[in-house]
Amino acid sequence: MRVSKWSVIILLSVTTILFLLPFYIMVVMGTYFSEDLFKQLPLLPGKYLLENLKTVLSGDFLLNYWNSFYVAVLFTAISVVMSSITGYAFGKFRFPGKKVLYLVILCTMMVPGQLGLIAFVMEMKFFHLNNTHIPLLIAALNNAFGVFFMTQFSESSVPTEVIESARIDGCGELTIFFRIVTPFLMPALSTLGLLAFLGSWNNYLLPLVTLNEPSLYTLPLGIANLSTVFRTDYSASILGLTLGTLPLIIIFMFGSKTLVKGLTGGAVKG
């Protein structure tokens, strides 16, 4: 059965509206007085945008924004470098215990992260690293999904002949990785970087249990603390969520093609 062009356009338009509607309502709710949100579902912008914006900016919101940004950037850099090197080693090298180590890494993906949270916090306390941003960055060192993703991509997209030719020409392993292998991995590196940035930006649980100082809070914690003891300002919190979503929208606008290319590239054997 042949599907007409207009049918596809209408279907995609309806689907797009359905997906964008919750985000639109979130933006609109940030312009209302908090108690008015419970009267009816707002569909048109309200008059309390500036008041809610003052409430959001009255605390450490901008500082929390900056904390989230630089932590997410460093987390992404560490995660991408460590995952790519480890994944390349598993994908292109042969060494004793390789299968066992790789299986252990895969098994860690099946264990909920909350199970190891208490032990991780106790370790950070032992090294006096709680109430700093260092635990949030250390978490980037054990990105099991990143290792798995880069291993699959290295096996399928990096030609072994190119690596062996470079060795014959006298290149060292670090030179081979950073100057010859890395260009082959760029789609996967970009995709992993996007996913790592999103994961760090939206991370709530780990900052919650490791940070006590409000000036060190990341954005999710800062938004959660917008409410006072006597009143929960839902509108200000929703406006904070809207502002916190803007970087993610910009990233997807510029990186959506790279994300799709990276996710599908590793699935095709070269």
Side-chain angles (χ1 to χ4, degrees):
M1 182 178 66
R2 185 175 180 180
V3 181
S4 68
K5 176 183 177 182
W6 284 108
S7 300
V8 175
I9 293 175
I10 293 173
L11 177 62
L12 292 178
S13 300
V14 172
T15 307
T16 302
I17 292 173
L18 289 176
F19 275 98
L20 290 179
L21 185 60
F23 180 74
Y24 169 76
I25 292 177
M26 181 180 73
V27 174
V28 170
M29 291 174 76
T31 65
Y32 275 76
F33 189 62
S34 183
E35 279 68 15
D36 291 340
L37 296 178
F38 300 96
K39 297 179 181 177
Q40 62 180 358
L41 184 65
L43 296 177
L44 297 176
K47 302 177 181 178
Y48 290 88
L49 174 61
L50 293 180
E51 286 77 3
N52 293 334
L53 191 59
K54 288 179 182 177
T55 303
V56 172
L57 299 179
S58 61
D60 295 326
F61 184 79
L62 293 180
L63 181 59
N64 301 149
Y65 216 100
W66 166 249
N67 290 339
S68 272
F69 178 76
Y70 95 82
V71 167
V73 170
L74 292 179
F75 181 93
T76 301
I78 296 173
S79 180
V80 167
V81 171
M82 294 302 299
S83 298
S84 59
I85 292 176
T86 309
Y88 170 64
F90 276 114
K92 290 299 179 183
F93 284 80
R94 293 182 179 179
F95 52 88
K98 172 183 171 180
K99 292 184 178 180
V100 176
L101 289 174
Y102 190 58
L103 182 61
V104 170
I105 292 176
L106 294 183
C107 289
T108 61
M109 295 172 59
M110 306 173 192
V111 179
Q114 291 83 352
L115 292 181
L117 191 60
I118 296 177
F120 182 73
V121 172
M122 294 301 293
E123 289 177 0
M124 295 299 103
K125 183 179 179 181
F126 177 80
F127 291 108
H128 303 287
L129 294 177
N130 277 336
N131 215 24
T132 70
H133 289 148
I134 295 178
L136 307 183
L137 302 178
I138 291 178
L141 298 175
N142 62 345
N143 187 347
F145 169 77
V147 173
F148 169 75
F149 184 60
M150 296 307 301
T151 300
Q152 298 300 310
F153 204 91
S154 297
E155 288 179 342
S156 62
S157 302
V158 180
T160 305
E161 296 80 7
V162 175
I163 300 174
E164 292 176 347
S165 299
R167 287 175 181 151
I168 294 173
D169 291 339
C171 293
E173 293 300 331
L174 288 178
T175 303
I176 292 174
F177 177 77
F178 285 107
R179 300 188 63 179
I180 298 175
V181 173
T182 299
F184 288 101
L185 299 178
M186 283 309 296
L189 294 177
S190 302
T191 302
L192 182 61
L194 286 172
L195 296 176
F197 187 90
L198 294 177
S200 175
W201 188 266
N202 294 322
N203 191 4
Y204 177 77
L205 183 58
L206 188 56
L208 179 66
V209 297
T210 57
L211 300 177
N212 296 318
E213 181 64 37
S215 62
L216 295 175
Y217 283 175
T218 53
L219 193 57
L221 285 183
I223 294 173
N225 284 275
L226 281 176
S227 302
T228 65
V229 177
F230 305 102
R231 179 173 180 266
T232 301
D233 197 335
Y234 293 103
S235 297
S237 299
I238 292 173
L239 182 60
L241 287 172
T242 303
L243 296 175
T245 309
L246 292 179
L248 307 183
I249 295 175
I250 295 173
I251 288 175
F252 269 108
M253 285 177 60
F254 290 97
S256 59
K257 291 184 179 179
T258 304
L259 179 65
V260 174
K261 185 177 180 181
L263 290 175
T264 57
V268 181
K269 290 289 184 183

